[in-house]
Amino acid sequence: MTQSIGILTSGGDTPGLNAAIRGVGKACLSHYGMHIIGFRDGFRGLMENRTMALEGEALSGILTLGGTILGTSRDKPHKMPVNGKVLDMTETIVANYHANGLDCLVCLGGGGTMKNALRLHQAGLNVVTLPKTIDNDVALTDTTFGFDTALGIATDAIDRLHSTAHSHHRIIVVEIMGHRAGWLALGAGISGGADVILIPEIPYDVEAVADAIKTRKRKGKPFSIVAVAEGAISQQEYVAQQAAAAKKKDKKSKEPVVEPELVYAERTLTLARQLELLTGLEARPTILGHLQRGGTPSAADRLLATRLGTAAADLIERKQYGFMIAARGETSAPVALEEVAGQVKTVPPDHPWVDSARGVGTSFGD
Ligand code: F6P
């Protein structure tokens, strides 16, 4: 019997989402003769039964488009704001899945989406997911689509910041996205030749960062680029976070838990000010922000998204559900959602990229 497939994109948008929608859609439609329907704005659209026809011309001309033609949201099925209340809308979602006669739902998303997709799978839906995020922090996949494009944008930004830092003998502190993982800052920092790279996985000492910059100055290079991941923290903040986490675990403790705030941009501004004071050089912060998520996907992301999208269709054809299609070298592999949900792939402090950066003299401020 012909299978009917639903597809949605959830979480922050990512270059390559449309390439993946096209990959899943074209393979399902043309190759396997299935039906396919899109849901708008992530799980919210599925809950509200807002659909988009994907048959006909809808999948043409979208390979190169940034963003997602379906729209996205960060809404979770089990915690959805509805009429001023936060409700568990899983039952409504399950009902809409059946009302649309679906045999499988394909969810394109990052770590949060994997958890939500698993919940729906456990609620009885057939689900397949694809890993997308510029953060590259989804577990058990070599990489995620969106990462390569963002890496290119952030690297280009560092290249441009170099010439102005050089001309004005300044420090430029450039904040790079990545949430709590340092992949993007590390990759762009290495590719752009940043002098200092700060990532969440290696808490920094601001004095050590300043020392690295002063050493450069002494050697006749009175300018520096500091590539800081938005989630990077100082060693003092790290200690405070660990203490807060321990207090949270210790249920007997009556002391109120004051968790350190993760206010990305403010931390970057503070770091620039601290470096100015400690080095005597002028410092300027640059927050790359959502520029890193916008625009046309790179060739590598189009290729990856198409490969994973068509592999999803192959898996659905075999009626295998409850999996994320992971990138594995030149090919792909299904990974059980139970294994991937709730895991975050952070940078191991002894990762080869870190070793290479240290090898060319980059400081991690540790
Ligand atoms: O997960 C992708 C990401 O771009 C992170 O790097 C960043 O912390 C976050 O999303 C920003 O989210 P929003 O677009 O909701 O502000």
Side-chain angles (χ1 to χ4, degrees):
M1 231 182 68
T2 308
Q3 289 204 67
S4 286
I5 311 305
I7 184 166
L8 59 81
T9 53
S10 175
D13 72 337
T14 286
L17 274 171
N18 288 323
I21 294 169
R22 174 180 173 272
V24 176
K26 289 206 169 195
C28 283
L29 284 166
S30 326
H31 200 61
Y32 292 119
M34 300 172 187
H35 295 301
I36 185 156
I37 185 170
F39 290 93
R40 295 181 188 271
D41 303 335
F43 294 106
R44 176 163 293 274
L46 180 54
M47 189 274 283
E48 294 171 350
N49 204 21
R50 286 187 289 114
T51 60
M52 177 176 177
L54 291 180
E55 301 188 6
E57 283 304 295
L59 297 176
S60 294
I62 65 168
L63 177 63
T64 58
L65 283 187
T68 158
I69 58 166
L70 293 172
T72 187
S73 71
R74 292 197 184 274
D75 287 308
K76 304 175 177 77
H78 66 300
K79 275 187 194 168
M80 198 158 310
V82 182
N83 299 330
K85 290 187 188 148
V86 178
L87 302 176
D88 184 346
M89 300 307 289
T90 307
E91 270 185 31
T92 310
I93 284 178
V94 170
N96 284 340
Y97 172 97
H98 292 301
N100 283 288
L102 298 184
D103 297 292
C104 181
L105 176 70
V106 183
C107 304
L108 279 50
T113 303
M114 300 305 150
K115 286 198 258 178
N116 292 323
L118 175 61
R119 282 191 193 102
L120 294 184
H121 184 58
Q122 287 165 341
L125 305 192
N126 295 330
V127 180
V128 168
T129 66
L130 296 185
K132 69 88 206 163
T133 165
I134 66 164
D135 303 340
N136 193 33
D137 61 351
V138 177
L140 303 174
T141 178
D142 288 357
T143 189
T144 54
F145 53 88
F147 177 65
D148 182 75
T149 309
L151 184 61
I153 296 169
T155 301
D156 181 55
I158 295 177
D159 290 348
R160 289 169 190 280
L161 291 168
H162 250 120
S163 60
T164 175
H166 185 266
S167 308
H168 285 268
H169 320 300
R170 280 175 175 159
I171 303 165
I172 301 262
V173 180
V174 51
E175 184 191 285
I176 296 171
M177 276 188 168
H179 197 41
R180 286 172 204 261
W183 295 107
L184 196 52
L186 177 60
I190 294 171
S191 312
D195 308 294
V196 178
I197 299 176
L198 305 177
I199 58 175
E201 296 86 348
I202 305 178
Y204 62 86
D205 171 8
V206 71
E207 303 269 353
V209 176
D211 284 348
I213 293 169
K214 285 192 280 187
T215 303
R216 279 176 52 78
K217 190 177 163 189
R218 268 199 308 278
K219 290 182 176 166
K221 292 178 177 172
F223 68 95
S224 284
I225 300 287
V226 179
V228 55
E230 60 181 1
I233 52 169
S234 67
Q235 291 170 357
Q236 289 94 319
E237 282 176 288
Y238 176 74
V239 170
Q241 279 188 6
Q242 294 300 102
K247 228 190 264 173
K248 216 176 183 179
K249 263 198 190 155
D250 178 8
K251 301 237 164 49
K252 279 182 239 146
S253 166
K254 296 236 162 47
E255 274 184 72
V257 181
V258 185
E259 293 200 44
E261 279 279 298
L262 198 71
V263 188
Y264 297 148
E266 280 175 26
R267 190 182 286 138
T268 300
L269 302 188
T270 305
L271 177 63
R273 267 197 304 277
Q274 286 175 319
L275 291 178
E276 233 171 26
L277 292 175
L278 290 169
T279 63
L281 289 168
E282 270 190 330
R284 293 285 188 270
T286 298
I287 316 282
L288 296 184
H290 291 80
L291 267 181
Q292 296 160 103
R293 283 206 333 230
T296 190
S298 67
D301 275 337
R302 295 178 205 180
L303 179 59
L304 178 64
T306 305
R307 288 203 296 116
L308 299 187
T310 54
D314 297 342
L315 200 72
I316 295 166
E317 166 66 11
R318 297 201 298 274
K319 296 195 168 50
Q320 291 182 7
Y321 312 116
F323 294 99
M324 173 186 82
I325 309 287
R328 289 287 154 74
E330 294 308 307
T331 178
S332 64
V335 176
L337 281 173
E338 284 85 355
E339 284 179 44
V340 72
Q343 308 293 327
V344 182
K345 186 180 76 179
T346 52
V347 178
D350 60 352
H351 191 271
W353 291 9
V354 175
D355 292 346
S356 293
R358 291 194 196 276
V360 292
T362 309
S363 165
F364 284 84
D366 56 342

